Amino acid sequence: TANRSPPPPNCSREQRALIQAILKAYERHQIPHDVAKKLLHDQYSVEENFLLLTEMATNQVQVLVEFTKNIPGFLSLDHEDQIALLKGSAVEAMFLRSAQVFSSKTPAGHTEVLEDRIRKSGISEEFIIPMFNFYKSIGGLHMNPEEQALLTAITILTPDRPYVKDQSKLCTLHHPHEPQYFARLLGRLTELRSLNHYHTEIISSWRVSDHKFTPLLCEIWDVQ
Ligand SMILES: C[C@]12CC[C@H]3[C@@H](CC=C4C=C(C(=O)O)CC[C@@]43C)[C@@H]1CC[C@@H]2C(=O)c1ccc(O)cc1
């Protein structure tokens, strides 16, 4: 793609292959066109918005599992660990994905409609504010596709372990004037983690008004 930057020269061959594999998997990480189209055409009731977001969330989890399976080495992990990593990071990966969608230049109209539907889907204002603050703070990083893909892979693979150091090499190269760029990137992951808490509240407030989730969301978030 046009905005794909050249791989950093001081990356080893296998690191370069790893970055390319993750980037390729990430670029297949798309919401089906018909779901995105519904965003623009379906009705605008709170219930309709919730159902649309539920369908998007369900799609997102399926796409996330496919992306994760294509991260080199993931499938050689112990099976229980694979499930634990996915369950532990699904919410963060989803909010990271939505932040990347809001900060990318998706076709005009999509993000406005999407934002409008999120604001009118029964999520209370006290969770909307941190959510959109996070979107702004991710947008401010101007991540390129490699960084977005790597950050998603980091979020999934190391929910609680110290981060691998060589990602910083890639970031330093693309942001030479900002030596602390990688630290800023990791700082966003801390902010992202706080959204887990809000998400639990969002889900339980929807459950109170007996909203239905899909089986996949129930399974990955231990709902119902
Ligand atoms: C996270 C979210 C569901 C998934 C949405 C996200 C907004 C934007 C998106 C963009 C996507 C793309 O273009 O690829 C994939 C889906 C996501 C990532 C929503 C904001 C709030 C909502 C939510 O928390 C929610 C949770 C459970 C539900 O049943 C419904 C919504």
Side-chain angles (χ1 to χ4, degrees):
T1 54
N3 58 352
R4 183 178 298 186
S5 30
N10 56 354
C11 251
S12 67
R13 184 182 303 281
E14 57 274 359
Q15 280 173 328
R16 195 171 305 179
L18 177 63
I19 293 171
Q20 285 317 314
I22 291 174
L23 178 63
K24 213 159 103 292
Y26 183 75
E27 285 175 334
R28 282 207 306 274
H29 189 176
Q30 302 296 337
I31 276 285
H33 200 64
D34 56 323
V35 177
K37 248 197 348 256
K38 278 189 190 169
L39 266 179
L40 296 172
H41 302 308
D42 274 13
Q43 295 87 356
Y44 249 84
S45 71
V46 170
E47 192 47 38
E48 186 56 42
N49 291 339
F50 169 75
L51 291 175
L52 253 179
L53 289 177
T54 302
E55 188 177 349
M56 287 180 78
T58 307
N59 266 288
Q60 160 69 15
V61 171
Q62 289 157 345
V63 160
L64 179 71
V65 172
E66 282 319 303
F67 168 68
T68 308
K69 280 161 59 178
N70 287 296
I71 298 176
F74 181 80
L75 291 177
S76 51
L77 291 174
D78 167 84
H79 192 69
E80 264 62 54
D81 288 351
Q82 292 179 22
I83 305 292
L85 282 175
L86 272 168
K87 282 172 68 103
S89 61
V91 171
E92 290 175 28
M94 198 168 66
F95 279 113
L96 186 56
R97 173 69 190 163
S98 46
Q100 288 161 351
V101 164
F102 277 109
S103 54
S104 71
K105 291 157 283 308
T106 48
H110 261 76
T111 37
E112 288 77 10
V113 165
L114 184 54
E115 172 163 354
D116 206 22
R117 288 184 184 272
I118 293 169
R119 290 183 184 279
K120 292 170 191 144
S121 61
I123 299 173
S124 86
E125 198 52 25
E126 71 177 292
F127 307 129
I128 291 286
I129 293 167
M131 203 190 287
F132 281 90
N133 286 343
F134 178 69
Y135 294 163
K136 269 195 215 76
S137 83
I138 286 287
L141 287 174
H142 305 298
M143 283 190 277
N144 61 24
E146 286 93 338
E147 284 154 349
Q148 290 188 18
L150 278 182
L151 196 62
T152 308
I154 291 173
T155 306
I156 297 162
L157 293 183
T158 52
D160 282 310
R161 287 192 289 276
Y163 293 103
V164 178
K165 67 189 179 315
D166 64 354
Q167 269 83 16
S168 59
K169 202 179 295 165
L170 181 91
C171 294
T172 326
L173 233 92
H174 294 296
H175 301 265
H177 0 286
E178 284 188 84
Q180 71 291 58
Y181 178 79
F182 192 63
R184 278 178 66 202
L185 211 55
L186 292 188
R188 296 297 183 274
L189 292 183
T190 315
E191 198 181 331
L192 178 58
R193 197 158 290 204
S194 69
L195 290 179
N196 269 314
H197 157 73
Y198 291 121
H199 187 262
T200 313
E201 305 281 321
I202 293 171
I203 291 292
S204 46
S205 65
W206 267 327
R207 285 187 59 202
V208 162
S209 42
D210 78 352
H211 283 69
K212 289 275 159 288
F213 303 105
T214 55
L216 180 59
L217 295 182
C218 294
E219 191 187 325
I220 201 140
W221 293 329
D222 293 328
V223 170
Q224 259 129 337

